[in-house]
Amino acid sequence: MSDTPTPKTPAKPGAKQPRTGSSAGQGREDRLKAALKANMARRKAQSKARQADPGDKPGGA
């Protein structure tokens, strides 16, 4: 065995890299979970802001 790393062949432009095992799926799930959590927090903050300011109703002033 030699200690020198073998050069990797360059991938074709636009070609997708193969993903192995469930690590790829797990990473996607983690990203989706984080995005959902951020979205829910944003919606909750918007809802609270709307309830705190009843003077901003459409058709008012």
Side-chain angles (χ1 to χ4, degrees):
M1 285 244 168
S2 91
D3 291 336
T4 59
T6 58
K8 294 183 180 179
T9 57
K12 293 180 183 176
K16 291 184 178 182
Q17 296 293 327
R19 296 188 176 187
T20 58
S22 64
S23 63
Q26 185 65 35
R28 181 175 186 267
E29 278 189 35
D30 290 342
R31 287 192 309 273
L32 288 174
K33 186 187 285 188
L36 179 61
K37 188 174 182 178
N39 189 16
M40 292 298 290
R42 189 169 50 248
R43 285 174 170 245
K44 190 174 182 180
Q46 286 175 348
S47 178
K48 283 185 178 182
R50 286 189 194 116
Q51 290 176 358
D53 191 14
D56 248 355
K57 292 187 179 178

